[in-house]
Amino acid sequence: MEAEGRLPGPPLHTPSPGGGGGAGADSDPDPPAGAPDAARGPLLAAAEVLSLDDEEDDLEVFSKDTSLAEVNSFSPSMPISPSSMINQYKFEDEPELRDLFITVDDPESHITAIETFITYRVVTKTSRGEFDSSEYEVRRRYQDFLWLKSKLEEAHPTLIIPPLPEKFIMKGMVERFSDEFIETRRKALHKFLNRIADHPTLTFNEDFKIFLTAQAWELSSHKKQGPGLLSRMGQTVRAVASSVRGGVKNRPEMFTEMNHYMETFSQKIIVLDKIAHRIYKEEREYFNEMKEYGPIHTLWSASEEDIADSLKGVASCIDKCCKATEKRMAGLLENLLPILHEYVLYSEILMGVLKRRDQIQGELDSKVDALANKKTEKDLFSEEIGKLEDKVECANNALKADWDRWKQNMQCDMRSTFTSVAENNLHYYEECLATWESFLASQTVHPHVEEDSEDRP
Amino acid sequence: MEDCLAKKMEITVSEAEKRTGRNAMNIQETYTAYLIETRAVESQSEGQCAPVDSLWRRYSEFELLRNYLSVTYPHIVVPPLPEKRADFVWHKLSADNMDPDFVERRRIGLENFLLRVASHPILCQDKIFYLFLTQEGGWKEMVNETGFQLKADSRLKALNATFRVKNPDKRFTELKHYSDELQSVISHLLRVRARVADRLYGVYKVHGNYGRVFSEWSAIEKEMGDGLQSAGHHMDVYAASIDDILEEEEHYADQLKEYLFYAEALRAVCRKHELMQYDLEMAAQDLTSKKQQCEELATGTVRTFSLKGMTSKLFGQETPEQREAKLKVLEEQIQEGEEQLKSKNLEGRDFVKSAWADIERFKEQKNHDLKEALISYAVMQISMCKKGIQVWTNAKECFSKM
């Protein structure tokens, strides 16, 4: 792990949080082999309209609308396999590099006179010196996570703070406190804290430490300290004001490229999220129909003699395939859907980070412009400008480093997630294949046995 | 089976053609005509290929043929025609009779029908059937000349009319029950299969969306670009593969449909038997009552209440001459009735014997065909799984290189 307090420079061996196993350790990415020509510069995808092929016109057209309207993929009857929980707890990283282990579990409902809310248990195990103890257990509610996120954003405006799950799902069929919803949120909160723990800078943030270790009353009193709401609002107002004017015209090329990249990435990831949800929905509908399909064959076998066994065989195959498809669906729900959703949120975050960098630049630019106009109080201004120049340089470096790190992690996450989707589908087809092949073998063997059975009453 | 027509003659329904013409009411209509080609099967030693004869028939002529066969051979489970209108369709298939896919499947169904009839030991010997295959003009008139419509019992058309049979043949009752069950279960199966096909189509096709998005995304990525692009291609292949898969499955559905309609034919034989039995019992009943009347007239005792009896009591009895005349008529009727009953009984026994022979033949055929169909379904599923494995193996490789 990087030394404490070091400004984030170019990433060294950055571990990938919750990402692919082991592959994240590459510090020097291989030169792209045969990369598409257009990859170097920004590819403006703004003009693209996603239209579907003619044969797919029964499927909905995926628009650029970023509303979360499509999140209706959670069926209350879908069991989440216990093994997936284990995966969430398993750290794909080399354990030797980590010295902070966090789990989020055990959601509990609290009912007071005013409100009902859920708290989650946050368990921290650490060997770090700056922690007084090696193990902590605290209870946190969603509000507390929001607080932590905003503190981190405040302290590190141009670092990429991991996404939090949304407050609530808008048009979904999910009840606010349904088990489904709580479980999804729990997993996302777990991921959130772990991503912070894996971040070379954020992991040493003081508020983070307090979040992990403070008892409820300690946290409340700590929250009350620090810049008040009004001053925070003032900061935002100033930031917005300066963003309106500046930060863009003097923007280094690198960040313009990042912006263009994020615009396209953002579009694509949103569409992918919708596609994944749609696939889940279709698979669930298929599963529902399949459930009825097998039993009909069994029913039929009751009126037959000679072909009863064949019919029962087919019924059993269909039932087994049905179960296999259920597993496939579960895989999607555990792996692909959460990751894509996380990166949808990430793309918003990244656009925000880029904006904040522009704002910081804007502050500098407006002061420089003012100096050019004023000519008096030169010394005072130049000191201020010097500070702002430092601020901009820090911000840019921080963002650059974090960007590279983020991209690497993203690549890792995508690779491992999609690979596991492919594996999931492979297992599904292999299972079905085995079932049908064994049925076929049973039908084409022992013709003599069949003749005997005809004689039996 | 050695003498059946199918062995001596190659029969195919090789083409389908849209035609327009004027129908019986002089209204313009569009219909499809089917080309029937026949060729005598030459023995190998001759080494020569016999010439192909051909003629065109439309669906309504097939229907006429089948009606004729059903009426002329009431004890035979007559092979069914393919459906008149597309039923049990899932959304992608058209329910339109003019749709080329439907026409194609119907062509195959009609060929199958002809082959079934030609392989049937009794039906294949029918003259009208032979002429259907070989003589285009004037065939309709010939069929009508047989007068088969007169033989057709209109009571059979009332499918739901029940005839209260006092001594039903248990075997036929069971068979009728079986045919009802078969119809019900196969149509249920076909309905669900269509819905499953619909859903499966959806799953595959949505994956096609990956292809385009991956491709667009790959343009902004340096290292991930290649993997994404090629994975996208495999997703396109996956999405496209469902069309062939479901087309093949359609043939399986058609095989089941044939037996759905066969169940109807089976039921028809049971109904005919029922009707026969009913007529027999009615005739026997009639005979019994006439005999009773005879006895009453002869002995003068009124055992059962009858209006005639009452009126004769009220208004005086008949003259001996009148009674004599009535008795004579009745005796004649009884004589007739007894002969009829005897022949009906014989008819009935013959019917049962030949019907049951054909039913046994049908059962064997059905068991064999359905088992084969189920096996072919398994083969299709296996093929689909193998294709899936291939695509996802390729995709996995691409993803792992991202």
Side-chain angles (χ1 to χ4, degrees):
Chain A
M1 294 294 265
E2 285 72 14
E4 181 179 9
R6 183 180 75 82
L7 275 176
L12 296 179
H13 294 273
T14 48
S16 56
D26 287 341
S27 55
D28 292 316
D30 292 333
D37 293 342
R40 249 303 47 191
L43 205 252
L44 286 173
E48 288 170 8
V49 170
L50 287 161
S51 60
L52 297 166
D53 301 330
D54 286 333
E55 64 213 43
E56 295 162 55
D57 56 13
D58 62 307
L59 300 179
E60 64 187 275
V61 176
F62 299 117
S63 69
K64 292 185 199 176
D65 182 34
T66 58
S67 75
L68 298 164
E70 274 300 305
V71 190
N72 60 351
S73 58
F74 304 109
S75 145
S77 68
M78 261 313 306
I80 309 290
S81 70
S83 62
S84 75
M85 304 256 286
I86 299 170
N87 282 336
Q88 291 294 323
Y89 291 123
K90 200 164 61 182
F91 299 113
E92 291 90 350
D93 262 320
E94 303 92 351
E96 313 89 58
L97 293 181
R98 280 176 157 257
D99 56 3
L100 189 66
F101 296 84
I102 307 172
T103 57
V104 177
D105 60 14
D106 190 34
E108 236 175 51
S109 204
H110 296 257
I111 306 172
T112 70
I114 318 163
E115 55 177 349
T116 311
F117 59 92
I118 307 271
T119 61
Y120 303 84
R121 186 176 73 148
V122 179
V123 174
T124 307
K125 295 193 170 98
T126 180
S127 58
R128 284 192 201 163
E130 57 271 23
F131 283 78
D132 292 333
S133 167
S134 63
E135 199 166 320
Y136 292 89
E137 188 177 311
V138 296
R139 293 227 129 229
R140 295 286 177 251
R141 57 185 290 189
Y142 183 75
Q143 259 178 30
D144 301 329
F145 285 85
L146 278 176
W147 169 85
L148 175 60
K149 184 165 159 85
S150 70
K151 296 299 285 180
L152 292 173
E153 280 170 352
E154 226 180 276
H156 308 280
T158 59
L159 284 188
I160 301 166
I161 315 296
L164 267 182
E166 294 101 319
K167 249 182 168 354
F168 29 73
I169 315 281
M170 297 297 278
K171 283 190 198 173
M173 298 183 301
V174 183
E175 278 296 308
R176 188 168 163 230
F177 287 130
S178 80
D179 288 342
E180 204 65 49
F181 176 80
I182 292 169
E183 176 58 16
T184 310
R185 183 177 262 197
R186 182 199 65 75
K187 283 194 209 162
L189 294 174
H190 174 95
K191 202 125 196 233
F192 171 73
L193 291 179
N194 277 287
R195 286 212 192 262
I196 296 173
D198 290 334
H199 193 287
T201 310
L202 297 176
T203 193
F204 297 107
N205 178 281
E206 191 59 31
D207 289 314
F208 181 49
K209 176 158 168 271
I210 292 172
F211 178 92
L212 293 175
T213 59
Q215 287 310 306
W217 61 269
E218 289 175 323
L219 183 64
S220 310
S221 77
H222 175 80
K223 275 190 192 181
K224 292 199 177 101
Q225 300 164 14
L229 184 65
L230 284 175
S231 73
R232 264 185 278 140
M233 276 179 65
Q235 274 176 17
T236 319
V237 169
R238 262 180 277 131
V240 169
S242 62
S243 80
V244 169
R245 270 173 306 161
V248 182
K249 67 173 175 28
N250 292 330
R251 189 203 274 161
E253 177 66 16
M254 159 171 58
F255 297 112
T256 303
E257 275 179 27
M258 278 186 204
N259 255 297
H260 288 149
Y261 174 89
M262 273 326 294
E263 270 169 24
T264 305
F265 179 86
S266 180
Q267 277 174 25
K268 299 312 152 199
I269 203 72
I270 286 167
V271 172
L272 275 176
D273 183 53
K274 288 192 176 172
I275 293 174
H277 276 108
R278 185 57 188 266
I279 290 177
Y280 180 82
K281 177 168 168 263
E282 295 288 340
E283 283 186 7
R284 189 187 53 194
E285 308 269 345
Y286 173 68
F287 169 73
N288 285 336
E289 297 296 349
M290 281 291 268
K291 273 194 293 192
E292 212 188 312
Y293 195 34
I296 301 176
H297 294 79
T298 309
L299 183 67
W300 185 358
S301 72
S303 357
E304 298 287 344
E305 282 167 18
D306 285 27
I307 58 172
D309 282 338
S310 307
L311 284 167
K312 283 191 225 166
V314 169
S316 143
C317 285
I318 293 175
D319 287 339
K320 289 197 187 123
C321 290
C322 206
K323 291 204 170 68
T325 212
E326 206 176 10
K327 260 202 278 184
R328 178 171 65 162
M329 280 163 61
L332 263 187
L333 202 60
E334 280 157 33
N335 266 313
L336 186 65
L337 266 51
I339 277 280
L340 288 179
H341 189 64
E342 204 185 348
Y343 276 91
V344 167
L345 296 173
Y346 253 130
S347 59
E348 280 171 39
I349 288 167
L350 274 149
M351 294 300 272
V353 167
L354 285 167
K355 268 216 181 80
R356 283 202 289 276
R357 191 222 68 87
D358 285 347
Q359 284 161 15
I360 293 172
Q361 171 110 41
E363 276 178 47
L364 170 66
D365 291 349
S366 62
K367 274 273 149 40
V368 167
D369 288 345
L371 176 66
N373 295 335
K374 282 218 168 127
K375 312 274 200 262
T376 57
E377 300 162 40
K378 232 184 171 173
D379 290 336
L380 211 65
F381 261 110
S382 49
E383 199 189 316
E384 247 186 88
I385 284 174
K387 281 201 191 131
L388 284 174
E389 278 172 348
D390 282 342
K391 191 172 172 193
V392 167
E393 194 180 329
C394 279
N396 286 351
N397 288 340
L399 177 53
K400 175 72 175 75
D402 222 18
W403 170 268
D404 289 339
R405 185 177 166 272
W406 178 85
K407 279 216 73 181
Q408 248 185 8
N409 287 341
M410 185 274 289
Q411 187 173 344
C412 221
D413 284 346
M414 291 301 166
R415 175 173 51 226
S416 92
T417 299
F418 279 105
T419 304
S420 89
V421 165
E423 269 170 7
N424 235 7
N425 278 286
L426 269 175
H427 289 152
Y428 165 73
Y429 281 112
E430 279 163 359
E431 232 182 282
C432 293
L433 179 68
T435 296
W436 286 107
E437 276 184 335
S438 99
F439 167 76
L440 196 66
S442 75
Q443 296 299 297
T444 48
V445 150
H446 308 307
H448 300 294
V449 175
E450 283 167 24
E451 280 163 15
D452 287 344
S453 70
E454 273 172 13
D455 293 331
R456 282 192 223 117
Chain B
M1 275 297 246
E2 302 80 30
D3 290 319
C4 77
L5 194 60
K7 293 268 166 89
K8 295 188 250 178
M9 183 193 257
E10 257 176 51
I11 305 170
T12 53
V13 177
S14 51
E15 276 171 49
E17 211 177 73
K18 239 202 260 201
R19 299 260 181 92
T20 43
R22 292 199 172 272
N23 67 5
M25 292 180 283
N26 211 29
I27 296 170
Q28 187 92 320
E29 59 169 4
T30 318
Y31 62 91
T32 311
Y34 298 88
L35 184 68
I36 303 178
E37 289 184 325
T38 51
R39 176 173 50 195
V41 172
E42 296 290 319
S43 53
Q44 289 297 322
S45 56
E46 303 224 4
Q48 259 187 331
C49 243
V52 172
D53 282 325
S54 65
L55 46 70
W56 292 91
R57 294 268 183 232
R58 54 184 294 190
Y59 188 82
S60 56
E61 291 175 278
F62 279 86
E63 277 184 313
L64 184 58
L65 172 65
R66 188 174 188 274
N67 284 341
Y68 161 79
L69 291 172
S70 292
V71 171
T72 313
Y73 304 89
H75 53 286
I76 301 283
V77 182
V78 177
L81 285 171
E83 53 193 353
K84 189 153 194 172
R85 258 158 270 288
D87 205 355
F88 305 111
V89 283
W90 55 283
H91 88 282
K92 243 312 176 167
L93 286 191
S94 171
D96 172 22
N97 282 4
M98 287 296 160
D99 177 69
D101 283 334
F102 177 76
V103 168
E104 172 60 15
R105 293 208 337 273
R106 184 187 259 194
R107 181 193 66 74
I108 295 169
L110 291 173
E111 185 177 288
N112 189 50
F113 166 73
L114 293 177
L115 290 172
R116 291 271 194 211
V117 176
S119 327
H120 191 284
I122 295 171
L123 296 178
C124 72
Q125 297 176 36
D126 187 274
K127 186 99 194 285
I128 294 285
F129 173 61
Y130 183 77
L131 291 173
F132 179 87
L133 296 172
T134 53
Q135 186 168 326
E136 187 159 357
W139 176 81
K140 260 205 211 160
E141 288 74 13
M142 273 190 262
V143 182
N144 291 329
E145 268 168 34
T146 63
F148 80 94
Q149 272 114 342
L150 300 169
K151 279 196 244 164
D153 197 326
S154 60
R155 289 178 294 172
L156 284 170
K157 297 229 173 92
L159 284 169
N160 290 326
T162 44
F163 305 101
R164 235 172 300 134
V165 172
K166 293 206 185 106
N167 290 314
D169 185 324
K170 196 165 151 224
R171 289 181 305 170
F172 278 98
T173 313
E174 277 174 17
L175 190 66
K176 187 157 147 222
H177 191 60
Y178 168 75
S179 75
D180 286 340
E181 280 178 1
L182 190 67
Q183 266 190 302
S184 153
V185 86
I186 293 184
S187 42
H188 190 194
L189 199 153
L190 286 170
R191 263 198 308 274
V192 177
R193 190 212 71 90
R195 292 206 300 258
V196 169
D198 214 5
R199 291 303 168 193
L200 192 64
Y201 183 81
V203 172
Y204 272 75
K205 285 301 179 188
V206 186
H207 280 83
N209 286 302
Y210 270 142
R212 184 188 28 251
V213 184
F214 279 167
S215 172
E216 291 164 356
W217 181 10
S218 75
I220 56 168
E221 297 291 343
K222 267 191 298 176
E223 291 141 34
M224 289 171 66
D226 283 345
L228 275 174
Q229 185 90 354
S230 38
H233 162 73
H234 292 299
M235 291 296 96
D236 286 337
V237 168
Y238 182 68
S241 68
I242 192 65
D243 294 311
D244 284 345
I245 290 168
L246 286 177
E247 198 184 299
E248 244 196 287
E249 240 190 58
E250 215 51 47
H251 291 297
Y252 167 73
D254 284 340
Q255 283 177 294
L256 293 183
K257 262 184 228 178
E258 195 193 7
Y259 277 93
L260 175 66
F261 303 139
Y262 250 128
E264 183 66 48
L266 196 62
R267 191 174 196 276
V269 172
C270 296
R271 289 281 286 174
K272 282 172 206 152
H273 168 79
E274 214 175 69
L275 206 57
M276 265 187 139
Q277 184 76 0
Y278 178 77
D279 281 347
L280 189 72
E281 284 179 3
M282 286 289 110
Q285 209 177 328
D286 190 48
L287 188 64
T288 311
S289 95
K290 284 207 161 73
K291 281 188 177 166
Q292 234 168 39
Q293 277 181 12
C294 211
E295 204 192 307
E296 284 164 20
L297 268 181
T299 61
T301 53
V302 181
R303 253 188 272 154
T304 56
F305 177 80
S306 78
L307 194 59
K308 253 205 153 117
M310 283 313 291
T311 52
S312 65
K313 275 206 157 155
L314 287 171
F315 298 108
Q317 295 198 341
E318 305 155 306
T319 65
E321 294 80 26
Q322 285 175 320
R323 222 190 306 153
E324 217 29 66
K326 270 203 199 134
L327 214 61
K328 196 115 195 239
V329 168
L330 268 175
E331 276 170 359
E332 269 174 35
Q333 286 180 340
I334 287 169
Q335 179 99 340
E336 246 178 74
E338 278 188 331
E339 273 170 32
Q340 264 194 15
L341 192 66
K342 201 162 155 196
S343 76
K344 274 201 160 78
N345 257 309
L346 213 66
E347 219 186 308
R349 276 203 290 274
D350 280 341
F351 181 94
V352 169
K353 187 159 153 218
S354 40
W356 214 257
D358 198 53
I359 285 163
E360 289 299 325
R361 182 205 61 83
F362 168 75
K363 273 193 189 159
E364 251 188 70
Q365 174 197 296
K366 170 209 77 164
N367 287 334
H368 173 266
D369 289 349
L370 286 176
K371 184 156 174 197
E372 293 250 319
L374 292 171
I375 288 174
S376 81
Y377 185 72
V379 169
M380 275 186 259
Q381 300 307 304
I382 287 170
S383 156
M384 179 172 88
C385 289
K386 285 188 174 162
K387 282 188 200 163
I389 288 172
Q390 186 170 57
V391 160
W392 285 103
T393 304
N394 293 339
K396 179 178 165 181
E397 209 184 301
C398 298
F399 286 135
S400 63
K401 293 203 183 114
M402 283 195 335

